Every structure is written in structure tokens, then in C-alpha cells.
């Protein structure tokens, strides 16, 4: 049984539905300065520590960074787990993607050591990119080079073998409506090939906090739903579509319920992708 909401969380609103007040603008500037100053002062220390201590053995400071970054940005995080969620299984955490804070929100919520599959271009961002590379995130190629795809496949397998669970955003980009877009096939093929279970994750309330089309940081409670862990081993092409649809429904249900909608079906055209 999936972790489905007993009642809708803070209702999400469509982008551009309201005009920010002068107070919200000033508050957002203040929160960005606080969060940015904290991030860019703490990250170099964590990167330096990573040269002497394996990041996998030094998880607490990274969680401290994520927790306080979200707090300083003006949001709080709540976590709700389904009875069928297995916190001890290495898995792919498959989540909807709302804003730049999602990786830090998930780090607050996941009860185990996690890393992410992340676009290669992010690794070129000063400080953040250096930290992600050193900490073991897996770069996702933005082209279709067979060599780059094989490297990603190999690095993903190596991370899972080390006991590292991986976060994936299969929509491929941040939502601009608050709704969960169609999922790409790549991660589901990978999960089947590796026999790695999938944990669907719903991030609810994050669109009210911050969205791709705005720099406003609104006060919000972000609820992270960790759904039941789904086995993937032994599936074929037919099962892949069923798996993708099942995971999409699990992720979309609480998100769309918070907007007063039903998850219905993955009805939008779906782009094929490598990851």
C-alpha cells in the first residue's frame, strides 16, 4: 500500500496566480542572502573534509548542511513513510522535481546515505559542482554518446555496489505547473537490469515554497512521502511500462491531491531519454 495523504497538504497554486507583496520580496531577498551565505561558507569546509574522510563515512555534516539550508531559506520539512517502505534497502529514490532545493529536501528525508544522478552541466557550477563530484554524484550526459552513457551506467552500478542509494528525477526537468510530468524510461530500464528496487518519493508543498519561474521564497511546510519499496528484478519490456506507470501514480497522487486534482494517468506525451 502506498503512502497516500489522509488529507491534502497546503494547497499548491498555479504559477503566476498571485503577485508577491513588497514584504514577500524583501523577505525572499533576506532568505536568499542567508541561505547563500551559509551554503557558500560551509561547502568549502565539507569539500576539504572530503579529501581526508570518505563522504560515505561522514554523513552527519552533510545532513546538517541540508537541514539548515532549508531552514534558512524559510521552509520546514516533514517526512511520512508508507508501511511498505524499507529504510534498509539500497534503492533508487524516484522523485518529482520542483526546484533547486529538492536534493537538500531529499537529503533531510532519506534515512540512509544517498547520492544523485545529475546533469553533467551541474558539475561545472562553482563550489556546488566541485562538491557533487567529490561526494560521488553520478553525471548524466546531455547528449547521446555511447561512451558517456556507458560511463554513467558503470558509475551507477559502482555506487549501488558500495551501498549508496541514488536519487533520480525522471521528469528530466523542474515542473512549471506544480504537477508531476511524464517519466522517462531510462531509470526503469536501469533498475530492471540491475535488479535494484525503486522507492517512489513525492515532494509536496515545495511548489508553494519556490518554483522554477520565480525567485520568491514563500513560507511553507514541505512534506516528503516515502512510498512502499517496489521490486524490479526479472521484469521485461512489458513490465517496464507497468513499472513506470505504477511509480508515476505513487509519486503523483499526493502532489496532485494537494492541488485538488486526481493523479488520473500519465497522459502527456512522454519523451524518451537515457536516464
Amino acid at each position: 500500500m502506498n503512502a497516500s495523504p489522509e488529507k491534502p497538504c497546503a494547497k499548491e497554486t498555479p504559477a503566476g496566480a498571485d503577485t508577491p507583496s513588497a514584504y514577500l520580496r524583501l523577505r525572499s531577498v533576506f532568505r536568499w542572502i542567508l541561505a547563500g551565505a551559509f551554503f557558500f561558507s560551509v561547502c568549502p569546509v565539507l569539500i576539504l573534509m572530503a579529501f581526508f574522510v570518505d563522504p560515505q563515512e561522514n554523513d552527519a555534516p552533510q545532513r546538517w548542511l541540508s537541514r539548515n539550508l532549508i531552514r534558512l531559506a524559510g521552509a520546514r520539512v516533514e517526512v511520512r513513510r508508507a508501511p511498505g517502505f524499507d529504510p534498509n534497502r539500497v534503492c533508487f529514490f524516484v522523485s518529482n522535481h520542483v526546484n533547486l532545493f529538492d536534493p537538500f529536501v531529499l537529503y533531510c528525508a532519506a534515512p540512509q546515505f544517498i547520492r544523485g544522478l545529475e546533469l553533467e552541466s551541474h558539475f561545472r557550477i562553482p563550489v556546488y559542482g566541485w562538491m557533487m563530484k567529490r561526494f560521488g554524484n553520478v553525471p548524466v550526459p546531455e547528449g547521446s554518446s555511447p561512451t558517456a552513457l556507458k560511463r554513467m551506467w558503470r558509475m551507477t552500478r559502482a555506487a549501488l555496489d558500495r551501498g549508496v542509494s541514488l536519487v533520480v528525477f525522471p521528469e528530466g526537468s523542474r515542473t512549471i505547473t506544480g504537477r508531476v510530468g511524464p517519466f522517462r524510461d531510462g531509470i526503469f530500464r536501469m533498475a530492471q537490469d540491475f535488479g535494484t528496487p525503486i522507492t517512489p518519493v513525492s515532494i509536496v508543498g515545495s511548489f508553494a515554497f519556490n518554483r522554477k519561474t520565480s525567485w520568491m521564497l514563500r513560507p511553507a511546510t514541505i512534506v516528503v512521502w516515502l512510498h512502499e519499496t517496489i521490486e524490479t528484478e526479472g521484469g521485461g519490456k512489458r513490465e517496464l511500462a507497468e513499472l513506470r506507470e505504477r511509480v508515476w501514480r505513487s509519486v503523483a497522487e499526493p502532489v496532485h491531491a494537494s492541488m485538488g486534482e486526481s493523479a488520473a494517468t500519465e497522459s502527456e506525451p512522454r519523451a524518451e531519454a537515457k536516464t
Side-chain angles (χ1 to χ4, degrees):
M1 172 175 165
N2 293 327
S4 53
E6 297 174 0
K7 58 180 180 180
C9 303
K11 194 168 183 176
E12 304 275 18
T13 55
D18 58 339
T19 302
S21 64
Y23 166 75
L24 181 59
R25 291 176 184 274
L26 287 172
R27 180 188 181 279
S28 296
V29 169
F30 176 68
R31 289 292 183 177
W32 276 114
I33 291 173
L34 269 183
F38 174 74
F39 179 80
F40 286 106
S41 61
V42 173
C43 278
V45 176
L46 293 180
I47 292 171
L48 183 63
M49 290 173 63
F51 283 105
F52 301 98
V53 182
D54 184 342
Q56 196 167 346
E57 303 299 327
N58 196 27
D59 193 37
Q62 300 161 54
R63 290 185 179 278
W64 179 81
L65 165 71
S66 298
R67 199 165 48 243
N68 284 284
L69 181 68
I70 299 300
R71 181 177 60 83
L72 291 172
R76 59 190 296 267
V77 177
E78 292 181 2
V79 182
R80 301 179 188 177
R81 302 184 185 184
F85 167 64
D86 187 343
N88 301 311
R89 293 286 301 279
V90 173
C91 66
F92 287 112
F93 286 98
V94 175
S95 173
N96 57 312
H97 196 11
V98 183
N99 58 46
L100 297 174
F101 293 92
D102 290 345
F104 303 100
V105 168
L106 292 172
Y107 212 153
C108 294
Q112 54 185 270
F113 187 81
I114 60 171
R115 284 297 178 257
L117 274 76
E118 191 157 1
L119 287 175
E120 269 185 329
S121 59
H122 294 181
F123 288 76
R124 296 190 287 271
I125 300 173
V127 182
Y128 176 82
W130 305 332
M131 186 171 74
M132 292 304 99
K133 182 177 181 179
R134 176 57 187 165
F135 282 13
N137 278 22
V138 177
V140 177
E142 295 171 75
S144 55
S145 163
T147 301
L149 292 173
K150 286 179 182 178
R151 183 179 70 245
M152 179 195 69
W153 213 267
R154 185 175 63 252
M155 292 177 69
T156 300
R157 175 76 273 180
L160 295 169
D161 288 344
R162 292 196 308 272
V164 178
S165 290
L166 294 170
V167 172
V168 186
F169 300 120
E171 293 167 280
S173 63
R174 288 169 284 162
T175 179
I176 59 172
T177 64
R179 299 172 182 83
V180 181
F183 285 175
R184 300 176 175 185
D185 283 345
I187 185 57
F188 303 102
R189 291 196 192 104
M190 195 178 289
Q192 284 185 336
D193 284 355
F194 294 161
T196 302
I198 288 175
T199 297
V201 181
S202 305
I203 303 177
V204 181
S206 201
F207 190 69
F209 165 55
N210 174 252
R211 57 197 63 167
K212 183 178 180 179
T213 55
S214 172
W215 58 274
M216 294 295 111
L217 294 176
R218 295 170 170 82
T221 296
I222 300 170
V223 181
V224 181
W225 297 85
L226 300 175
H227 300 283
E228 68 176 22
T229 303
I230 300 173
E231 301 297 338
T232 65
E233 193 168 8
K237 288 184 178 180
R238 188 174 193 178
E239 289 77 16
L240 185 143
E242 295 173 355
L243 174 64
R244 187 192 67 241
E245 177 69 16
R246 178 182 175 186
V247 173
W248 184 89
R249 283 179 176 276
S250 295
V251 173
E253 185 180 56
V255 177
H256 292 190
S258 74
M259 304 174 71
E261 302 176 2
S262 65
T265 184
E266 187 182 358
S267 57
E268 299 176 51
R270 204 170 38 78
E272 292 298 322
K274 289 76 65 182
T275 61

